[in-house]
């Protein structure tokens, strides 16, 4: 039974059974391999930040977990601390504090826990793992990194045991330029309203634009019409130009955004046709995004929400007059894992790393069995040794129950035999040369 189907003793803080943890480790190892193949270096930031640092971007203070000692020193002034709710804000601090030690553009990935006091549901836990990858520049960061990040997302997600996915891309410059061309100057406010489109629908968004931002009905409908444009090829350019002509919109920022979004789509069409879509409804509510914005959904699992999101930020990190523009994405490892487990989208070949279980003929063989285990382990074969010379049938049953494929026997003459307990085949074996088949050497995680 999946962990997600069991009742957790503390809601929102999931724990995994060994076989489930194997799948999570496979996902993390696969992502790490993808990131490192592209030259991204791993970092880890502390779990706590000052409350001031955490809350300077966005508005999620109700979800932040504060951290304090049960018995603080009386009269001692201490900065208010909290657990980080994502990895982006800690990373921006990390870049500023370590700028003198980093080579720019700095390519980083980070796979860590985060904490957020949300109402627990599938895909949303209070303690969860994210995998972030970013490229950060010093002063400037060429746009080509935006394209690179999207292509890496395609590659990294394609290697995971998950269903088909769609990466939906927009550009804030395009949207903001269009809104300004319409006469809507509070572009962050318009974007925050458009970001709610899938949750509350177009009529409610139109009311928000009218009541909160003073948009006319014509302006509101034009903003909604832009958000309805979507295509898996460059046809979105034609649709945007037609809408601009209809409403008399001309704006240099819009033109810049159109060009950038076209570059992303062109590259993706060559590498992964149909996987990346231009979707002008994607807004990303946080104000620090300045260009490319991205959300990703699993086909057939859209209700799960975005599994990989982020974008371009030109001023998230600052140090005096120095700015560190960046572009990056965050993959929701725990969100993906929740769906993989609940829908049994993937299976681990066994629940333990062990490939060989050394049985004992007599208790006097235990020392020799330990020496044999050392030999096998030195050759990369995960091995366990029985602790007592019980009946062979009982020892084999123990190995079988844990999914261990091979049982090794030492005979009185010093010979060795190994038994594949699935087929029953038992053959002589040399500890210095025997290897299990490649598919049995390590735990395999495969999509169902």
């Amino acid at each position: 039974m999946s962990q997600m189907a069991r009742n957790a003793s503390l809601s929102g803080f999931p724990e995994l059974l060994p076989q489930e943890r194997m799948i999570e480790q496979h996902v993390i190892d696969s992502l790490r391999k993808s990131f490192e193949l592209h030259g991204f270096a791993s970092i880890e930031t502390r779990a706590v930040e000052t409350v001031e640092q955490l809350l300077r971007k966005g508005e999620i203070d109700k979800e932040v977990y504060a951290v304090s000692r049960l018995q603080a020193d009386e009269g001692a002034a201490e900065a208010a601390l909290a657990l980080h709710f994502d990895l982006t804000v800690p990373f921006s601090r990390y870049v500023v504090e370590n700028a003198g030690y980093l080579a720019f553009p700095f390519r980083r990935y980070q796979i860590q826990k985060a904490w957020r006091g949300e109402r627990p549901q599938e895909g949303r836990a209070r303690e969860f793992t994210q995998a972030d990858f970013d490229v950060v520049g010093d002063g400037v960061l060429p746009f080509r990194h935006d394209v690179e990040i999207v292509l890496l997302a395609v590659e990294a997600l394609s290697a995971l045991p998950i269903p088909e996915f769609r990466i939906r891309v927009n550009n804030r410059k395009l949207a903001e330029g269009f809104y300004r061309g319409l006469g809507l100057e509070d572009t962050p406010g318009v974007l925050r309203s458009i970001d709610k489109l899938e949750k509350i629908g177009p009529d409610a968004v139109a009311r928000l634009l009218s009541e909160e931002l003073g948009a006319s009905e014509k302006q509101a409908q034009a903003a909604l019409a832009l958000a309805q444009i979507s295509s898996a090829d460059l046809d979105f350019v034609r649709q945007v130009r037609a809408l601009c002509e209809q409403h008399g919109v001309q704006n240099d920022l819009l033109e810049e955004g159109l060009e950038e979004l076209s570059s992303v789509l062109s590259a993706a069409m060559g590498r992964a046709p149909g996987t990346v879509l231009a979707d002008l409804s994607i807004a990303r509510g946080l104000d620090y995004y300045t260009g490319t914005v991205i959300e990703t959904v699993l086909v057939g699992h859209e209700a799960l929400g975005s599994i990989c999101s982020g974008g371009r930020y030109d001023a998230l990190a600052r140090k005096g007059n120095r700015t560190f523009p960046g572009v990056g994405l965050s993959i929701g490892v725990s969100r993906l894992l929740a769906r993989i487990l609940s829908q049994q989208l993937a299976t681990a070949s066994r629940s333990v790393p062990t490939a060989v279980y050394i049985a004992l003929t007599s208790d006097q063989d235990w020392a020799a069995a330990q020496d044999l285990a050392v030999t096998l382990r030195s050759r990369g074969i995960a091995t366990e040794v029985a602790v007592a010379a019980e009946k062979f049938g009982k020892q084999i049953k123990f190995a079988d129950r844990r999914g261990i494929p091979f049982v090794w026997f030492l005979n009185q003459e010093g010979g060795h035999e190994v038994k594949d307990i699935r087929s029953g085949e038992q053959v002589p074996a040399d500890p210095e040369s025997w290897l299990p088949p490649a598919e049995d050497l390590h735990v395999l995680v495969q999509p169902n």
Side-chain angles (χ1 to χ4, degrees):
M1 181 185 292
S2 164
Q3 156 68 22
M4 302 305 157
R6 289 185 280 116
N7 291 324
S9 58
L10 196 56
S11 179
F13 297 88
E15 294 176 326
L16 301 174
L17 293 171
Q19 199 156 5
E20 298 164 341
R21 174 64 174 152
M22 292 280 188
I23 296 173
E24 182 182 53
Q25 285 182 309
H26 171 81
V27 169
I28 290 171
D29 288 345
S30 177
L31 291 173
R32 181 173 57 81
K33 181 180 177 183
S34 294
F35 298 154
E36 292 184 358
L37 282 172
H38 286 253
F40 285 70
S42 175
I43 67 161
E44 182 170 290
T45 56
R46 62 199 184 210
V48 297
E49 298 287 342
T50 64
V51 171
E52 180 185 11
Q53 174 75 21
L54 278 179
L55 301 186
R56 68 189 184 88
K57 294 286 183 181
E59 301 174 3
I60 70 158
D61 53 303
K62 292 179 182 177
E63 299 173 2
V64 172
Y65 281 109
V67 176
S68 61
R69 289 191 291 164
L70 291 177
Q71 294 183 327
D73 294 338
E74 218 173 295
E78 294 184 350
L81 301 177
L83 293 170
H84 59 225
F85 56 80
D86 73 358
L87 303 181
T88 302
V89 175
F91 177 54
S92 69
R93 173 197 55 77
Y94 176 94
V95 169
V96 168
E97 291 182 358
N98 294 285
Y101 305 96
L102 302 175
F104 293 96
F106 176 49
R107 302 158 77 83
R108 145 281 198 182
Y109 79 89
Q110 191 172 349
I111 303 175
Q112 268 184 256
K113 296 274 191 187
W115 295 265
R116 194 175 294 196
E118 297 187 293
R119 183 174 66 84
Q121 53 186 297
E122 186 187 343
R124 285 190 183 275
R126 291 172 172 170
E127 180 180 35
F128 53 94
T129 300
Q130 289 188 188
D132 285 24
F133 55 106
D134 294 72
V135 183
V136 175
D138 185 356
V140 295
L141 185 72
F143 172 74
R144 282 182 173 173
H145 289 296
D146 292 42
V147 179
E148 181 186 19
I149 284 286
V150 173
L151 295 179
L152 174 50
V154 171
E155 187 176 313
L157 293 172
S158 296
L160 300 180
I162 57 175
E164 240 185 308
F165 57 89
R166 295 286 180 272
I167 296 178
R168 303 156 67 194
V169 188
N170 193 8
N171 193 291
R172 292 280 279 258
K173 295 175 185 176
L174 191 167
E176 289 188 28
F178 184 78
Y179 303 149
R180 288 177 188 171
L182 286 174
L184 296 170
E185 291 303 321
D186 183 3
T187 55
V190 179
L191 284 163
R192 281 194 293 273
S193 299
I194 294 294
D195 194 39
K196 299 172 183 174
L197 189 57
E198 289 188 358
K199 290 181 182 175
I200 65 175
D203 292 343
V205 170
R207 278 196 301 276
L208 279 179
L209 292 172
S210 172
E211 294 168 7
E212 296 184 3
L213 301 170
S216 68
E217 184 179 349
K218 186 178 179 182
Q219 288 172 322
Q221 291 307 315
L224 286 168
L226 184 75
Q228 290 165 3
I229 293 174
S230 175
S231 73
D233 54 29
L234 298 179
D235 186 61
F236 76 91
V237 177
R238 179 194 60 79
Q239 296 180 58
V240 170
R241 295 215 181 282
L243 192 63
C244 287
E245 190 175 333
Q246 180 184 343
H247 292 276
V249 170
Q250 288 184 316
N251 185 277
D252 290 342
L253 191 62
L254 180 150
E255 294 298 329
E256 194 177 330
L258 262 181
E259 185 179 342
E260 290 186 354
L261 187 53
S262 298
S263 296
V264 171
L265 257 290
S266 296
M269 286 161 59
R271 189 76 60 85
T275 302
V276 179
L277 311 177
D279 185 335
L280 275 54
S281 70
I282 301 302
R284 304 294 298 156
L286 294 171
D287 291 348
Y288 56 68
Y289 291 115
T290 54
T292 303
V293 283
I294 297 155
E295 292 190 355
T296 309
V297 293
L298 294 180
V299 176
H301 303 264
E302 288 81 4
L304 184 65
S306 180
I307 57 150
C308 173
S309 55
R312 176 77 175 221
Y313 46 90
D314 284 323
L316 182 65
R318 290 182 181 274
K319 187 175 187 179
N321 294 328
R322 199 172 167 191
T323 60
F324 301 95
V327 59
L329 294 174
S330 176
I331 296 174
V333 173
S334 294
R335 180 171 290 190
L336 278 174
L337 186 69
R339 184 51 56 104
I340 289 170
L341 296 180
S342 69
Q343 302 288 315
Q344 297 182 324
L345 300 175
T347 307
S349 56
R350 54 184 187 265
S351 61
V352 295
T354 314
V356 173
Y357 185 77
I358 301 175
L360 295 181
T361 305
S362 71
D363 285 328
Q364 285 70 40
D365 294 336
W366 192 76
Q370 288 291 342
D371 291 340
L372 168 61
V374 169
T375 299
L376 293 174
R377 289 173 191 143
S378 72
R379 299 177 50 242
I381 303 169
T383 306
E384 287 182 44
V385 179
V387 293
E390 300 176 298
K391 290 181 179 178
F392 280 152
K394 191 169 184 180
Q395 294 185 68
I396 291 170
K397 191 173 182 181
F398 175 78
D400 186 40
R401 192 166 67 244
R402 300 175 69 218
I404 301 170
F406 294 97
V407 175
W408 196 289
F409 301 97
L410 300 87
N411 60 40
Q412 299 301 317
E413 292 74 41
H416 300 267
E417 291 191 347
V418 67
K419 182 186 186 77
D420 183 333
I421 60 176
R422 298 159 299 184
S423 66
E425 183 184 11
Q426 185 168 325
V427 296
D430 180 353
E432 300 289 347
S433 60
W434 179 85
L435 273 174
E439 63 269 20
D440 291 324
L441 183 58
H442 303 293
V443 176
L444 292 182
V445 173
Q446 295 178 316
N448 290 332

